[in-house]
Each structure stands twice: as structure tokens, then as C-alpha cells.
Amino acid sequence: MHDENTKEIFRTYIYELKPFVWASLLLFILSTIAGYVYYAIEPSYALDSLGGLEELAEILQGLSAFEIMLLIFVNNAVKMFFSILLGFALGIIPFGFLVLNGFILGVFAHYQGAQSGALFIIAGLTPHGIIEIPMLIISSAIGMKIGYVALQAIRSQPADLKGEIIRGIKFYLHWLFPLIFLAAVIETFITPMVIYLITGI
């Protein structure tokens, strides 16, 4: 009975989240396209946006596979958690987080595609990306939904901001957190094998 009630609560939450998920998906696609196009126009400036990835790559050098997996997991889990938690600031943080990540992905895809070819990009992003990107979109959607409720509260409309934040965190812990971990495992152990099998690199 308790499990059924929990499932019903999650189903209701997912239904309420749908418009924010669609909006987040659209934002992510548009920002990825913008990054891809921007690299074609201003490659030297566009590459500046990849500084964070380069720093992460330097940190990963010399670490064991388990340490790499753990670092990727913690990095993604913390960022997505704060994207939700800081949504109360009218959804600005998750909005910016989503757009920035989409833009960086677009720049990276264009740059790496030019260096190593489209097959390398597909092999390098698909295995873990099919989990990680939806988690990014959903966590941003949750943050934006919290921001929407915060806006309702400011307008003195009926709104339970605290309750909304708790719902978002519960959903994150129950669904997103384990999947973010799974994506980190795939990125560390499966993605390199897929890249090698498909491209030989």
C-alpha cells in the first residue's frame, strides 16, 4: 500500500513536471546548436568555453579508473543537486546551468568532430549521454519548476515553496542520483571501449 502511494506521488509529480521538461529540452537543443554554430563563427573564442573540461581532464590524469568514476559522479551529482536546490531563485540558476552545458556540448561536438570525425563524437557521447543528458534536463526542469513556485509565492498566489523543494529533492534522490552514478560508471568503463571498437582510437 505504501509503495503504491509512493508511485502515485511520483506519477503526479512527473505529470506536473512535463511542461518544464519540454521547455528544458528545447533550451538544451537551442543552446547546443548555438554552441555548434558559434564555434564555426569564432573558433578561438568558442574554445575558451572548454576551459572547464580541460581542467577536469588534467585532474583525471594519473587517477585510477575507480577514482575517475567517483570524480565524474560527484561532479555531476553535486552540480545537478544544486541546480535543483538553487531553483528557488526564480529558476535562474538551473536555466543558466542548462544553457551553459548545452552551449559547451555544441562547441565540443564541433571542435572534436573536426579533429576526430563524427563517429568519434557519437561513440564518445552516446553510451553515457543517453542517461546523463536526460538527467541534466530533468534536474534543470525540477529547478525551474521550483523557480515557478517561488514566483507564485512572490505574487502572493497559493504556493508551497518549501514543499516543492522537498518534492524535488526526494525525486532527485530516488531517481536521478542512482542514474547519475550509472552514467559515471558507463562513462568510465564502457564509453572508452565503445570509442575503441568503433573508431580504433
Side-chain angles (χ1 to χ4, degrees):
M1 187 70 182
H2 178 70
D3 287 344
E4 278 301 315
N5 189 42
T6 303
K7 286 178 185 176
E8 186 57 39
I9 289 168
F10 278 129
R11 272 196 291 265
T12 304
Y13 186 70
I14 290 166
Y15 178 78
E16 292 175 9
L17 200 60
K18 272 185 183 179
F20 298 94
V21 170
W22 285 114
S24 296
L25 176 61
L26 180 62
L27 272 172
F28 185 77
I29 291 170
L30 290 175
S31 57
T32 302
I33 292 169
Y36 193 90
V37 171
Y38 186 63
Y39 179 81
I41 300 167
E42 294 283 357
S44 56
Y45 287 110
L47 284 176
D48 290 342
S49 65
L50 299 181
L53 291 178
E54 290 171 359
E55 287 174 16
L56 184 60
E58 286 175 14
I59 293 169
L60 294 178
Q61 285 179 355
L63 297 180
S64 68
F66 178 77
E67 288 170 331
I68 290 170
M69 182 270 293
L70 205 58
L71 188 62
I72 291 170
F73 166 62
V74 171
N75 180 58
N76 290 336
V78 168
K79 285 180 178 177
M80 291 185 201
F81 178 75
F82 278 106
S83 179
I84 292 169
L85 195 61
L86 299 177
F88 70 85
L90 305 183
I92 295 167
I93 302 296
F95 175 90
F97 176 67
L98 184 67
V99 169
L100 179 64
N101 275 274
F103 184 84
I104 290 171
L105 178 64
V107 173
F108 177 77
H110 199 152
Y111 168 73
Q112 199 64 54
Q115 300 290 317
S116 311
L119 263 182
F120 182 88
I121 294 298
I122 293 167
L125 292 178
T126 303
H128 62 278
I130 55 172
I131 299 173
E132 190 176 309
I133 290 173
M135 295 308 98
L136 168 69
I137 290 167
I138 292 169
S139 61
S140 298
I142 294 170
M144 288 184 203
K145 185 175 189 296
I146 290 169
Y148 177 74
V149 172
L151 186 62
Q152 286 181 312
I154 289 170
R155 290 176 171 174
S156 300
Q157 295 173 343
D160 180 10
L161 181 57
K162 182 182 174 183
E164 193 61 38
I165 292 170
I166 290 169
R167 288 172 83 201
I169 291 172
K170 280 184 177 178
F171 189 85
Y172 168 84
L173 293 173
H174 191 90
W175 295 104
L176 306 192
F177 192 76
L179 287 170
I180 293 167
F181 178 77
L182 177 61
V185 171
I186 293 170
E187 185 171 357
T188 306
F189 299 104
I190 308 297
T191 298
M193 288 194 293
V194 173
I195 291 171
Y196 180 76
L197 288 171
I198 292 178
T199 68
I201 298 174

